[in-house]
Amino acid sequence: MNIAFCCTGIAPQPWLADLRAALPEARVEPWAPGDAPADHAVVWAPPQAFFDAQPRLRSIFNIGAGVDALLGLRLPPGVPLVRIDDGGMAVQMAEYVCHAAIGYFRDFGGYAADAAAGRWQPREPRDRAAFTIGILGLGVLGQRVARALRQFDFPVRGWSRTPKALDGIDCFAGDGGLDDFLAGTRLLVCLLPLTPDTRDILRRETLSRLPRGAYLVNVARGGHLVEDDLLALVDDGHIAGATLDVFRQEPLPADHPLRVRPRITVTPHISAQSLRADCVAQIARKLRALQRGEPVAGLVDPARGY
Ligand code: NDP
Ligand code: OXD
């Protein structure tokens, strides 16, 4: 069995070593143009030329959760595409979102500014029961984040494509449920996959439905957010501020307005990083399951877009 490794922007050697150790029955090699076709592929942001040279793939493993970039390519039809589910990312995402949400709720940014200016100024505690946190996307990451936020007694609600019933979480679904979901959300977290249905979902029209003074956390994809609409809504005070980990253009240009707005915090797409050991173990387990004809988690439905 031949496995081609084709991951842009990722140092291949540690991955190759770990994949070879986890799959000793396979020959795992970095892909180069002109190589013989492989049986299986491990990819991250591969070029189209990679798939054009693969007439006999039996499975494709994406070493991240999001497959939006992959689905923009011409993939060999009918070949199972498997993404990483969790892979060490869910707990990191929970940390990141809790940090952003609690930082805003408790105004730790304000206290840091006070300390730097030599001020000693306690503030009135905010009303936790009125601070509803809404999560767009109740999948592997959204559910983990929802559970973490519940630990701090925030009211938590979520929105998904198909209806759900989750303990302690107020669940909304589908286009028909979006307005009600947004209307009661004080802090909005985006954890949707980027698909034709969800592109630009964070735009003036939807963000305006949040109550005045709401806060935004986008940890999904830059393509979800219309950045100029957010800037305008922050300027007029409808949105109090935002924590953004993902952008239309990454790296975010040094002179981009999102970098200099005081109420906007940016990080370089690090809210959750897939961990090599977890991913390799997951790929080896799923590859063997597929060979036995068993179902695997994280199988992408190209028609659905995630
Ligand atoms: P999942 O596929 O497990 O969950 C996706 C969720 O979004 C599901 O609840 C799904 O609904 C919902 N959804 C999809 N389309 C729609 C729609 N049109 N309307 C309403 N709900 C919809 O994905 P993960 O939780 O694993 O990951 C989510 C995204 O997070 C990834 O696609 C990736 O882009 C991003 N990500 C970002 C990282 C970062 O570092 N910034 C790291 C890892 C991931 P349903 O349950 O009904 O199917
Ligand atoms: C992912 C990511 O999708 O890192 O895994 O963004």
Side-chain angles (χ1 to χ4, degrees):
M1 160 169 68
N2 291 313
I3 302 179
F5 180 87
C6 185
C7 295
T8 305
I10 291 175
Q13 285 314 325
W15 282 87
L16 293 170
D18 288 0
L19 284 164
R20 286 170 185 151
L23 290 158
E25 68 275 32
R27 194 168 164 273
V28 189
E29 295 296 337
W31 178 77
D35 282 358
D39 305 307
H40 304 275
V42 174
V43 300
W44 180 252
Q48 179 63 51
F50 171 71
F51 289 113
D52 290 346
Q54 303 300 331
R56 62 164 211 231
L57 279 184
R58 280 183 270 150
S59 65
I60 304 167
F61 290 89
N62 183 52
I63 63 169
V67 289
D68 42 290
L70 263 188
L71 291 182
L73 300 177
R74 274 186 320 280
L75 301 180
V79 177
L81 167 59
V82 186
R83 70 188 192 94
I84 295 296
D85 61 292
D86 192 338
M89 289 185 279
V91 69
Q92 296 174 62
M93 202 53 103
E95 286 167 350
Y96 185 101
V97 174
C98 287
H99 176 84
I102 293 168
Y104 175 65
F105 180 68
R106 297 288 304 272
D107 200 7
F108 285 133
Y111 287 117
D114 285 354
R119 284 190 298 268
W120 185 270
Q121 187 66 61
R123 293 154 171 73
E124 276 297 305
R126 281 192 161 128
D127 179 3
R128 185 178 308 266
F131 193 79
T132 297
I133 300 181
I135 304 170
L136 293 165
L138 282 175
V140 174
L141 302 181
Q143 287 193 32
R144 181 68 182 82
V145 167
R147 283 203 306 278
L149 289 165
R150 285 295 299 144
Q151 291 295 313
F152 296 101
D153 292 347
F154 292 115
V156 177
R157 55 174 54 184
W159 182 70
S160 54
R161 198 175 52 84
T162 55
K164 300 208 184 309
L166 300 172
D167 206 24
I169 316 293
D170 220 356
C171 293
F172 298 72
D175 291 346
L178 186 58
D179 280 3
D180 286 347
F181 166 85
L182 291 171
T185 291
R186 293 291 315 279
L187 184 143
L188 180 68
V189 180
C190 182
L191 265 170
L192 290 165
L194 184 63
T195 70
D197 290 338
T198 65
R199 180 172 293 279
D200 296 339
I201 191 167
L202 305 172
R203 58 181 180 274
R204 174 177 282 280
E205 182 197 345
T206 41
L207 294 175
S208 298
R209 293 195 190 130
L210 295 167
R212 190 169 179 80
Y215 192 89
L216 174 69
V217 179
N218 186 20
V219 278
R221 284 291 183 264
H224 288 122
L225 174 65
V226 180
E227 293 167 348
D228 286 344
D229 286 2
L230 173 69
L231 286 164
L233 289 166
V234 169
D235 285 348
D236 81 12
H238 187 81
I239 299 292
T243 295
L244 307 173
D245 184 48
V246 286
F247 305 90
R248 298 227 163 210
Q249 185 183 347
E250 294 180 10
L252 188 63
D255 60 351
H256 195 286
L258 287 172
R259 280 197 190 253
V260 293
R261 286 294 204 286
R263 283 168 287 152
I264 295 180
T265 301
V266 301
T267 52
H269 200 140
I270 47 70
S271 51
Q273 293 170 285
S274 50
L275 301 180
R276 192 173 68 246
D278 297 50
C279 292
V280 167
Q282 196 174 121
I283 290 168
R285 192 178 67 246
K286 289 179 174 176
L287 197 151
R288 291 191 180 117
L290 285 178
Q291 286 178 323
R292 290 191 299 269
E294 294 168 5
V296 295
L299 196 62
V300 173
D301 176 353
R304 210 176 52 165
Y306 67 102

